[in-house]
Amino acid sequence: SRVCSKTPHTSAGPTHTTRTPSFEMLALSLLMLAIMGISTTASLLNGLQLECPSVPATATTPAFLPKLCVLGIEIPIPFTCNSGSIILGSLLTSDSATCLNGVWTIPTCILKPILCLATEITSAVPALLATSCLLDIPLFVPYTCASGWFVDGTSSNSNSATCNNGVWSFPLACVLKPLDCPVTAITSTLPALLTTSCFPNLAVTVPFTCPSGSFLSGTSSSSNSAICKNGVWSFPALCILKTIPCLARAVTSAVPALLATSCLLDIPLFVPYTCA
């Protein structure tokens, strides 16, 4: 007998062999997908970018350049206040501004206050409390001169002091009110003196010379000094008329002998006598 082998028959048709993709192909595909993703993300981000505009400088704050920021993402920008300025509410000079959604948020810088210390009261300058003034910005503070003093060159005793950069200044000083000693007329005992001003309780010495033919009482000098104090003249020594002697006269048949006698200048002196 004859043995025959049968080959199984399937209705699926012929069989094909499938090749596994290589590693290189897989890597290339992944790279292309990544590139496409980055491009898409960048395009998306570009559509969400907002610009914070430029901000000009002020007296206290520096300028800010335009800044791009992404929607919803806050970008801090460090900055320092201008010289002489500090952050409002603190003594700091540096902080950060932020750019968010196209809007700047910038802390406020203010001029740093400078203290003018309290002044003690004197005869010329009144007492003033400590006062703060801003850098290079004068602050005017009214004051009144001490009793008996007034503002120099005026008839007022009030003015304003200036606090500037920590230093007090008084544009017009307080001075004592002068008191006038009046003109004195020339007499036989006093010289003529012009009006002289003297300050309260402060004496002013004014030299003088006795009138012609006079000299100071108790001296042989005709010069001295008068004193003006609190509006009144005083003379340490008065002028008196100079005496002129009449020499003794010898006796004659008609005129008796007379002893030496002194008389004042231009003032006759009558001396009784008896004939021989």
Side-chain angles (χ1 to χ4, degrees):
S1 64
R2 195 166 138 191
V3 179
C4 298
S5 62
K6 289 187 177 180
T7 302
H9 178 73
T10 63
S11 60
T15 303
H16 300 280
T17 302
T18 303
R19 295 184 61 187
T20 303
S22 66
F23 175 78
E24 291 82 1
M25 293 292 294
L26 180 58
L28 181 60
S29 298
L30 291 174
L31 179 60
M32 292 180 66
L33 289 173
I35 293 173
M36 291 177 63
I38 292 173
S39 176
T40 301
T41 302
S43 177
L44 179 62
L45 291 178
N46 284 334
L48 296 178
Q49 282 184 336
L50 297 172
E51 182 180 71
C52 288
S54 62
V55 178
T58 67
T60 58
T61 310
F64 287 85
L65 298 176
K67 187 71 178 179
L68 284 176
C69 59
V70 177
L71 186 67
I73 298 178
E74 186 176 82
I75 300 178
I77 305 294
F79 79 97
T80 300
C81 295
N82 293 343
S83 177
S85 302
I86 57 175
I87 303 295
L88 178 64
S90 76
L91 296 177
L92 301 176
T93 58
S94 298
D95 204 337
S96 293
T98 56
C99 172
L100 177 64
N101 299 334
V103 178
W104 284 109
T105 300
I106 303 172
T108 301
C109 293
I110 60 171
L111 289 173
K112 184 179 180 179
I114 301 174
L115 185 66
C116 285
L117 299 178
T119 66
E120 295 182 2
I121 190 165
T122 67
S123 57
V125 179
L128 293 174
L129 299 178
T131 300
S132 291
C133 56
L134 300 178
L135 183 69
D136 294 331
I137 298 180
L139 177 67
F140 300 97
V141 179
Y143 70 90
T144 300
C145 296
S147 178
W149 296 68
F150 73 110
V151 178
D152 192 16
T154 75
S155 59
S156 171
N157 65 346
S158 299
N159 202 354
S160 291
T162 304
C163 170
N164 191 21
N165 293 337
V167 178
W168 284 113
S169 64
F170 296 84
L172 294 174
C174 292
V175 296
L176 281 169
K177 286 185 177 180
L179 299 173
D180 289 337
C181 287
V183 173
T184 65
I186 189 169
T187 67
S188 60
T189 58
L190 290 177
L193 293 174
L194 299 178
T195 300
T196 298
S197 293
C198 55
F199 296 123
N201 300 318
L202 295 177
V204 176
T205 301
V206 180
F208 72 90
T209 300
C210 291
S212 177
S214 301
F215 67 101
L216 294 170
S217 176
T219 75
S220 59
S221 172
S222 60
S223 297
N224 203 339
S225 292
I227 297 174
C228 172
K229 186 175 182 180
N230 294 332
V232 177
W233 285 111
S234 63
F235 297 85
L238 293 178
C239 296
I240 61 174
L241 290 172
K242 187 176 292 185
T243 57
I244 302 172
C246 286
L247 299 177
R249 186 176 180 86
V251 66
T252 67
S253 59
V255 179
L258 294 174
L259 299 177
T261 301
S262 293
C263 59
L264 299 177
L265 182 69
D266 294 332
I267 298 179
L269 178 65
F270 299 97
V271 180
Y273 70 90
T274 302
C275 294

